[in-house]
Amino acid sequence: MRTISKLFLPVAILGIAMLTACGSKNEEKKVEAVHNVITVTPKNQQATMEKNFSGIVKEHATVSLGFRTPGQISHIYVKEGDHVRAGQLLATLDTKDYQLQVDAAQTQYNQLKNEVERLKQLYEGKSLSGNDYEKATSGLEQLSIQLQNARNQLGYTCLTAPVNGTIQKVNFEKAEMVSAGLPVFDIVDAGSMEVQISVPADIYAQHHRFVRAYCKHKGEQYELRLTSLLPKADANQLFTLNFALQGSKLSAGQSVDVYILMSGDGSSEGLTVPPHAVFEDGGKSYVWVVGNDDVVKKQPVTLGTVSVDGDVFVTSGLSETDRVVKAGVNMLHDGEKVKVVVPQKTNIGDLL
């Protein structure tokens, strides 16, 4: 029994050693797993800067709206402050007299129409001269015009909103008499709202370098388009700029924060990388740079402003020939060997 034990012991130790060695190899294989990465080279772009101002929303146009015909107001369907849409009924006039004019014109037209049909038969039977028949048809045409005019006058007793907007003022009450064209409502055109800001002389002089403008209100962002600027400064030596407010529901009088992105003057250029290529560590900014041996290096960088297309300016730490890891930066560690892959065509938006 002792002899068998002595023989078994070395074999057992050898087996354990082999199992340990196999385990170590498997662990080494797991550690040596290579990450696939996509790289970009920094782009050389002209530097930009962003300026921030306080702005006020204003109406670009106010529509004064009145009836096209005189009469007594029978109904007013809106009040000051109401939001209205184009084509919405706002007020009506009493229609009794206008309806009578339509009925009278319709009766005359019907009578003459029947008469013209009878005269036509006589004309075709050579019993009526061409001159008499032409007079009858001309009279019928005149009555047709009078009938249409009466119908138009009846239609003008309904006043509708010509634009989407807000009722700023109601100038009359129900049962009051109004003349044709007299303003009954003042409507702020919602389709022509604008934002007005005041800027110092140095910004005014560089308005040709504006590349984008937008405003923010309660977390919502709206695009702006420069429409006009006043060439004369006010008492505070500030110049007024007006921007068209596109696709918003903001109301006149609201305050907004306006941001203007300005291009560089041509003397200042820099390298840019996608924002998701940058990561923070210990309060500093870094990118992963892939060397010729496909080993990544943790490269410290100094960041600047944001470019027009949303990339980040890198003022130091990179060159135009560096290969920078574009995405997946949190999966890497310094000195790791990686595999650089080419993005597939199915990578819509080049997000990887």
Side-chain angles (χ1 to χ4, degrees):
M1 292 296 292
R2 291 179 180 177
T3 303
I4 295 174
S5 298
K6 290 181 180 179
L7 292 173
F8 177 74
L9 183 60
V11 174
I13 293 173
L14 178 63
I16 293 171
M18 291 177 65
L19 289 173
T20 303
C22 291
S24 298
K25 289 181 181 179
N26 289 335
E27 290 179 0
E28 289 177 1
K29 287 182 180 178
K30 291 181 180 179
V31 172
E32 293 175 356
V34 178
H35 287 109
N36 294 335
V37 298
I38 297 174
T39 63
V40 294
T41 55
K43 293 188 294 184
N44 198 337
Q45 295 193 52
Q46 184 171 295
T48 58
M49 57 183 174
E50 190 175 67
K51 299 292 184 179
N52 176 226
F53 303 94
S54 295
I56 187 77
V57 180
K58 300 184 66 178
E59 65 273 12
H60 178 65
T62 300
V63 181
S64 293
L65 188 64
F67 288 97
R68 297 178 62 177
T69 190
Q72 184 181 34
I73 298 176
S74 60
H75 293 89
I76 294 180
Y77 300 99
V78 293
K79 62 182 182 300
E80 293 179 1
D82 283 354
H83 296 281
V84 296
R85 63 185 185 279
Q88 180 177 337
L89 183 63
L90 305 180
T92 56
L93 297 177
D94 182 74
T95 61
K96 296 184 182 69
D97 293 337
Y98 291 104
Q99 186 63 57
L100 289 175
Q101 292 178 17
V102 171
D103 294 342
Q106 184 70 61
T107 300
Q108 293 178 6
Y109 176 80
N110 292 340
Q111 289 177 348
L112 187 54
K113 182 180 180 182
N114 293 333
E115 181 66 17
V116 169
E117 289 177 355
R118 186 182 66 82
L119 294 176
K120 182 180 180 181
Q121 295 177 358
L122 295 176
Y123 172 70
E124 292 175 348
K126 309 297 183 180
S127 300
L128 183 69
S129 66
N131 186 44
D132 290 339
Y133 180 67
E134 288 180 5
K135 288 181 179 180
T137 55
S138 296
L140 182 62
E141 185 176 349
Q142 291 178 2
L143 280 180
S144 175
I145 294 173
Q146 293 176 13
L147 175 60
Q148 186 58 52
N149 181 64
R151 289 172 176 169
N152 290 343
Q153 295 297 316
L154 179 61
Y156 295 154
T157 60
C158 293
L159 190 60
T160 58
V163 294
N164 295 329
T166 304
I167 302 297
Q168 186 180 53
K169 190 175 182 181
V170 180
N171 300 311
F172 288 87
E173 299 289 339
K174 178 182 177 181
E176 286 190 291
M177 297 293 297
V178 293
S179 302
L182 201 61
V184 178
F185 301 101
D186 291 332
I187 304 177
V188 177
D189 186 354
S192 61
M193 301 297 288
E194 65 181 16
V195 172
Q196 187 176 92
I197 64 173
S198 296
V199 300
D202 61 328
I203 300 298
Y204 170 81
Q206 301 178 75
H207 66 267
H208 59 281
R209 289 170 48 196
F210 293 177
V211 294
R212 184 193 173 202
Y214 62 94
C215 70
K216 290 183 178 179
H217 180 75
K218 294 184 177 180
E220 296 292 330
Q221 181 172 309
Y222 307 97
E223 292 298 317
L224 299 176
R225 177 175 53 85
L226 181 64
T227 56
S228 65
L229 43 96
L230 299 181
K232 184 179 180 180
D234 60 16
N236 297 317
Q237 295 302 304
L238 297 176
F239 292 82
T240 300
L241 274 60
N242 295 310
F243 295 85
L245 184 58
Q246 303 175 8
S248 81
K249 297 180 180 179
L250 299 178
S251 301
Q254 290 182 317
S255 298
V256 293
D257 292 320
V258 177
Y259 299 86
I260 299 177
L261 195 63
M262 302 174 61
S263 64
D265 57 8
S267 62
S268 178
E269 294 186 345
L271 300 177
T272 62
V273 294
H276 41 267
V278 182
F279 63 96
E280 300 289 328
D281 188 7
K284 296 183 179 180
S285 300
Y286 297 88
V287 297
W288 293 113
V289 175
V290 182
N292 294 330
D293 55 358
D294 289 343
V295 173
V296 294
K297 174 186 175 183
K298 185 179 178 181
Q299 180 66 33
V301 292
T302 304
L303 303 182
T305 58
V306 179
S307 69
V308 176
D309 56 9
D311 287 345
V312 181
F313 274 96
V314 178
T315 58
S316 66
L318 289 179
S319 68
E320 293 185 43
T321 58
D322 285 333
R323 293 189 297 170
V324 178
V325 176
K326 185 179 180 180
V329 296
N330 296 321
M331 301 171 57
L332 306 176
H333 61 267
D334 204 16
E336 177 182 352
K337 190 175 183 64
V338 296
K339 180 180 180 181
V340 179
V341 298
V342 178
Q344 301 297 316
K345 293 182 178 179
T346 54
N347 179 24
I348 299 173
D350 196 23
L351 297 177
L352 299 179

